[in-house]
Amino acid sequence: MFDGFKLYSQKMVFIGFLKDVFQASVEHEVNKLSQMEIEFVPGEIAVSPGMFLEWNGQYYLVQTVTDFKDAKGNYTRIGAEIAATELGGDILPSFELHSRTAEEAITEMLGGNRFSWTAGNVEVGGTASIEKREYVSRLELLMSVPEIWGGILIWDTKNKKVNLLNSSGKDNGVRLSYTKNLREIERTIDRREFGTRLYALGRDNLTTAGVNGTGLDYIEADTADIYGIHDYAWKTDIAGENQLYEAALVKLELIKQPKCSYTVKAVDLSALNGYEDYSLVLGDIVYVTDDDLGIEVKSSVVKVTEYPLTPEEKELVIDSVPLNYRQVEPRLAKLMQMVEESKDVWDRARLIDADTLAEYGMRDYSETVEFTFSNSYYQQPVIFAALQKVNAEANDPTSAFMLQTEAIAGLDQYNNLIYTGARVKVIGGPALLPGYKINVLAFCTDPVGE
């Protein structure tokens, strides 16, 4: 039997090796907590929830212990999760972020935690916000980071570091085939999130008809000839036609073909001499080929099940959504994040006269603040910014500083210059100024689509 699991007390004091293990599996999945299940014949050492197991350089927290007596005899089954799950027991009464980088977000989420976890290597860039949440665990906040900023969470339980990487694997040219290292293959095709004709709807049933070049209230994918017409309605709270069209194009890329995944049982050649480069780990790029099923796909490993008792065997789930779509998903998430941040700030554009509209709003103070207009405009807007004290008990600024405004520009579908928002930069001011917000008022003319 296998005796390779080290057992520790709740205070991480080494107890001994877990003996007489006859079945074990460890399941890893992208941006989910790794799960471990062990069955063993109970001996002198009693295992209880809250203890830790060490295997392959990682700690796992024992969550469940179940004793059995059946045809297999007397045995115990342990269910454990990667040790970061302990952060689920550390609750924050209130948490919110405004325009923070992923590294700043992870640092704040872990600030003062009782388990001594800290931010590690954070490769993902960009800024985003989190609306106020009450009585939320640090683990729940951390698990939301990839959805908001993108990237892949990697837990270093030895050093108690939370890493956020752009990619967790590499391309070693590993090819899975029946002639080499593939034992079984299962293909699943899922049409539940699929469409070739997208009806993108914004606020008050806004459509893309005015800006998509066809005048129709839908856009069609380049896969319509292959799969036929399959309608898909997507409802959002986007108030501007151009923003809606930009988001719709990204959404269409994600749904234009059925999702297809492969579950394969393979021999891990990296365990054999001379095949060390043939690694099969989470996030790796792999090639799957099978002439009988007509399969030739390049994609990434999104789930791995390892069997410690037979390390040469692994079960992989390979998602065949094209790799460039993986880059599309965070882009759409960031677009929708901008919409979410704007919807409670902007009260539509107010009509000043026959030719001029006023866009206005308020955001928390930051050294750089961006506002998204409810529409786009061909004429450069006139923008005003001001500092507003919203907390009467807030301290006054210790020195004078300047607010610099500029229009955020882009291109429409015909490559015409348009203005989609306003940016305010603080010159010579503090990095933080609690109790203050920045107001913007922009006078805009010549809206797109009119």
Side-chain angles (χ1 to χ4, degrees):
M1 295 194 181
F2 184 79
D3 298 329
F5 295 102
K6 293 181 179 179
L7 184 65
Y8 296 82
S9 71
Q10 295 186 25
K11 295 184 178 180
M12 289 303 296
V13 176
F14 177 64
I15 296 173
F17 287 90
L18 193 64
K19 300 289 186 178
D20 296 328
V21 175
F22 61 86
Q23 183 172 310
S25 63
V26 184
E27 184 178 285
H28 314 280
E29 191 167 356
V30 172
N31 289 328
K32 293 188 178 181
L33 297 176
S34 295
Q35 307 288 319
M36 173 184 284
E37 186 175 282
I38 297 173
E39 291 183 356
F40 68 101
V41 179
E44 297 178 358
I45 299 177
V47 181
S48 60
M51 289 182 171
F52 291 88
L53 289 164
E54 181 185 354
W55 177 74
N56 202 24
Q58 292 277 35
Y59 293 119
Y60 294 80
L61 177 62
V62 177
Q63 299 282 57
T64 62
V65 178
T66 308
D67 295 317
F68 291 89
K69 184 176 182 180
D70 58 21
K72 291 192 290 186
N74 295 342
Y75 64 97
T76 299
R77 179 182 296 156
I78 294 174
E81 288 183 322
I82 195 83
T85 192
E86 65 187 359
L87 289 165
D90 195 347
I91 303 295
L92 292 173
S94 180
F95 187 86
E96 63 180 319
L97 291 176
H98 298 282
S99 299
R100 295 288 194 273
T101 65
E103 184 172 11
E104 291 170 336
I106 293 174
T107 299
E108 293 192 38
M109 291 172 183
L110 292 171
N113 75 87
R114 65 172 65 100
F115 302 106
S116 302
W117 284 82
T118 59
N121 179 21
V122 179
E123 297 178 346
V124 176
T127 60
S129 302
I130 295 179
E131 291 185 346
K132 185 177 181 179
R133 302 179 64 181
E134 296 180 336
Y135 297 98
V136 59
S137 75
R138 296 180 190 273
L139 179 63
E140 186 178 348
L141 289 169
L142 289 165
M143 296 299 287
S144 71
V145 167
E147 299 175 9
I148 300 171
W149 282 269
I152 298 175
L153 281 171
I154 303 294
W155 310 96
D156 177 359
T157 58
K158 282 281 189 178
N159 301 298
K160 292 206 167 185
K161 296 285 186 181
V162 181
N163 304 302
L164 185 68
L165 309 182
N166 288 313
S167 174
S168 63
K170 54 188 176 181
D171 187 350
N172 282 332
V174 176
R175 189 171 295 273
L176 301 177
S177 67
Y178 279 113
T179 61
K180 199 167 200 179
N181 54 359
L182 189 59
R183 290 183 174 177
E184 296 179 22
I185 184 167
E186 175 184 304
R187 179 172 61 183
T188 302
I189 300 175
D190 187 348
R191 287 173 55 97
R192 285 174 293 182
E193 279 291 311
F194 162 69
T196 58
R197 178 178 287 176
L198 176 64
Y199 292 86
L201 303 174
R203 191 182 301 172
D204 298 330
N205 287 326
L206 177 72
T207 72
T208 64
V211 294
N212 64 25
T214 67
L216 302 173
D217 59 355
Y218 61 82
I219 56 177
E220 211 162 86
D222 54 9
T223 57
D225 291 340
I226 300 173
Y227 299 108
I229 301 299
H230 188 87
D231 293 338
Y232 188 105
W234 185 48
K235 298 179 180 180
T236 76
D237 198 38
I238 299 176
E241 280 186 313
N242 281 281
Q243 289 91 341
L244 179 62
Y245 183 50
E246 181 184 2
L249 290 174
V250 179
K251 179 68 175 179
L252 189 60
E253 282 295 306
L254 291 171
I255 66 169
K256 70 179 186 180
Q257 60 186 9
K259 302 299 181 290
C260 187
S261 65
Y262 301 94
T263 301
V264 300
K265 291 184 179 179
V267 175
D268 186 1
L269 296 180
S270 64
L272 304 177
N273 289 333
Y275 288 89
E276 289 80 7
D277 288 338
Y278 282 74
S279 63
L280 297 169
V281 300
L282 196 67
D284 272 357
I285 307 303
V286 294
Y287 302 77
V288 178
T289 60
D290 176 59
D291 293 336
D292 293 336
L293 290 179
I295 297 169
E296 173 65 40
V297 62
K298 173 188 176 183
S299 196
S300 59
V301 178
V302 296
K303 185 176 179 181
V304 177
T305 302
E306 298 182 274
Y307 301 96
L309 277 67
T310 53
E312 73 279 2
E313 294 186 5
K314 289 185 179 181
E315 185 172 302
L316 315 174
V317 176
I318 300 163
D319 192 342
S320 69
V321 175
L323 292 177
N324 60 314
Y325 287 16
R326 295 279 168 240
Q327 300 168 359
V328 171
E329 288 177 321
R331 181 181 165 206
L332 180 61
K334 288 182 179 180
L335 282 171
M336 299 313 295
Q337 171 80 9
M338 289 175 61
V339 173
E340 185 68 23
E341 290 177 352
S342 299
K343 70 181 184 181
D344 61 348
V345 176
W346 296 98
D347 183 18
R348 293 281 186 155
R350 296 291 184 175
L351 189 64
I352 302 301
D353 55 38
D355 300 314
T356 306
L357 296 96
E359 297 266 9
Y360 56 93
M362 179 186 294
R363 287 282 176 85
D364 286 334
Y365 176 92
S366 180
E367 289 182 292
T368 300
V369 181
E370 291 189 354
F371 299 80
T372 302
F373 293 154
S374 64
N375 204 338
S376 300
Y377 301 89
Y378 288 117
Q379 296 296 323
Q380 184 166 335
V382 177
I383 304 169
F384 298 90
L387 185 69
Q388 180 173 335
K389 189 174 186 178
V390 294
N391 184 345
E393 298 179 358
N395 295 324
D396 292 336
T398 57
S399 61
F401 56 89
M402 180 176 67
L403 299 180
Q404 174 185 297
T405 66
E406 61 183 18
I408 299 174
L411 298 175
D412 67 7
Q413 59 180 326
Y414 305 109
N415 289 326
N416 296 313
L417 184 65
I418 57 174
Y419 298 93
T420 60
R423 182 181 295 111
V424 180
K425 295 182 179 180
V426 176
I427 309 298
L432 298 173
L433 195 58
Y436 286 82
K437 291 182 180 288
I438 292 178
N439 289 335
V440 160
L441 174 62
F443 294 100
C444 310
T445 57
D446 200 5
V448 174
E450 294 187 9

